[in-house]
Amino acid sequence: MRFYYQCTECGLTFDIKPNVRLCPACRSAGRADRPLRGVLETICEGQPAIDPATDPIAFIHELLPVEHEFFPSIPVGMTPLWKPENLRKQLDLKNLFIKDDTLNPTGSLKDRASYLVAAFAKKYRIDNIVVASTGNAASSMAGVGAAAGIKVKIFIPDSAPKAKMVQALQYGADVTLVEGTYDLAFDKSIEYTDKYGGMNRNTAYNPLTLEGKKTAALEIFTELGKAPDHVFVPVGDGVILGGLYRGFCDLLKMGFIEKVPIIHSVQAEGSSAINRALADGDFSDPLRSDTLADSISVDVPRNGYFALKMLKKYGGAGVTVTDEEILSAQQMLASSTGLFAEPSSSSVLAGLLKARDKISNNDITVLLVTGSGLKDIEGAMKSIDI
Ligand SMILES: *Cc1c(COP(=O)(O)O)cnc(C)c1O
């Protein structure tokens, strides 16, 4: 297989090397109050030699731009796709599945990106990584970095859920709390790498974050043996969403699937820039984000342009839900399936409830559950009596 980066806007191509991040020409047109310009996607060319039905792990590794030998020994991905029987009955959806990414080593889907970034760092003998995050990307990079023997420096807002900070500190990361939002932490981490070096893992800014997350789509395909009809995904910066499209598009190009599923972008009402852009045609001035679903709380979605382009191209849909709907879906998910998810991830069930009439009873529908409920106990406590 041959791999290279391509600008998602102008189409210019680049070799996959450290310090190649955004397309320089498109980046210079960027504005602080709009999504990043010049986000790079990874293109893979060729036909895999391994049969996905025989050896799914090797098949997935063949479609990644870093050789298998460089990945750390921590077991990221290959999470179960399972059948929530009670929820199937309650919603009259015979083919509803949960893709349970809370079961990744640090408790969130972010491990998929950290895993590829760590492998890349190993390949190029980079021994320190810097990342800004609302909490999960930081705790994930810290944990996967610990397994890889890489030093990790993180910038997180001082309002981040405690469990995520504690995780990062337990993994041995150097934690800087930022007095302010995730957006400020993002800028500070980039200033830091510009000044002191190290590899920056910021979402979308580092192209491997988009690429690493495509494995969720590849696994759903290897687990089902085909593409689903619908996938519900929680959206903040739009990198998980973009990664899913990357994975399904690779499979389509290689002839493994016949169609890209309808992807439902689920956003909180207080942080819905991508869904608003989908409705309006383009991004407008940012609104200050305000939602208890911290992992999907962003003012300016970094991967907004690519996310919007793919949603338009493949008939994706936007579903916006309130914090009350998220909290009630969190309880419904936990009490009917046994899966306790953090608010951001519970939003996918709230989104499904809202979009239920757009889905036929037999449609294969996947809820992508991205983060464990134990990461944010305070959020979950809002809807129960203790
Ligand atoms: C980061 C995150 C998201 C949102 O992903 P984006 O790429 O920012 O859209 C959703 N759920 C969880 C648990 C996350 O950590």
Side-chain angles (χ1 to χ4, degrees), residues 267-308:
Q267 293 208 283
E269 203 170 68
S271 174
S272 61
I274 290 179
N275 287 355
R276 277 185 279 123
L278 185 59
D280 302 344
D282 202 357
F283 289 92
S284 45
D285 290 341
L287 302 175
R288 185 167 289 275
S289 56
D290 180 17
T291 168
L292 62 76
D294 65 292
S295 304
I296 49 173
S297 180
V298 305
D299 296 352
V300 179
R302 314 296 141 186
N303 195 37
Y305 291 116
F306 183 60
L308 184 61

Side-chain angles (χ1 to χ4, degrees), residues 14-190:
F14 304 86
D15 288 341
I16 299 181
K17 283 196 309 223
N19 297 325
V20 180
R21 287 177 300 230
L22 302 172
C23 165
C26 293
R27 179 186 188 174
S28 58
R31 288 170 41 175
D33 60 354
R34 291 290 183 276
L36 295 175
R37 301 235 71 137
V39 169
L40 302 179
E41 63 178 321
T42 306
I43 305 296
C44 70
E45 276 175 3
Q47 200 62 23
I50 294 160
D51 175 7
T54 316
D55 190 347
I57 297 183
F59 169 77
I60 289 168
H61 273 281
E62 224 189 327
L63 301 187
L64 292 174
V66 180
E67 295 78 359
H68 203 157
E69 69 199 85
F70 295 107
F71 284 79
S73 60
I74 188 168
V76 171
M78 297 314 285
T79 59
L81 182 80
W82 55 276
K83 304 170 181 173
E85 293 297 352
N86 297 329
L87 209 51
R88 282 181 167 200
K89 285 197 198 98
Q90 278 168 34
L91 301 177
D92 195 16
L93 286 172
K94 291 187 188 56
N95 293 306
L96 179 65
F97 291 88
I98 285 175
K99 175 68 172 165
D100 185 1
D101 255 46
T102 72
L103 290 175
N104 276 301
T106 79
S108 87
L109 185 145
K110 295 288 192 289
D111 286 354
R112 297 179 181 278
S114 303
Y115 194 45
L116 180 61
V117 168
F120 182 83
K122 276 297 194 201
K123 177 168 174 175
Y124 288 94
R125 299 201 167 83
I126 296 166
D127 61 6
N128 67 84
I129 295 178
V130 181
V131 61
S133 154
T134 63
N136 281 340
S139 52
S140 168
M141 194 67 249
V144 176
I150 294 169
K151 283 203 283 297
V152 178
K153 172 152 189 79
I154 67 182
F155 290 84
I156 47 176
D158 55 5
S159 58
K162 290 244 165 20
K164 300 181 185 183
M165 293 181 197
V166 171
Q167 261 190 303
L169 288 164
Q170 284 284 349
Y171 294 133
D174 174 1
V175 178
T176 298
L177 295 181
V178 175
E179 269 177 66
T181 61
Y182 162 54
D183 297 73
L184 185 66
F186 197 95
D187 295 342
K188 285 208 177 291
S189 76
I190 290 178

Side-chain angles (χ1 to χ4, degrees), residues 4 10 82 123 151 153 192 254 262 304 307 313 359:
Y4 56 88
C10 74
W82 55 276
K123 177 168 174 175
K151 283 203 283 297
K153 172 152 189 79
Y192 183 92
M254 292 166 189
I262 295 175
K313 183 166 174 189
I359 294 166

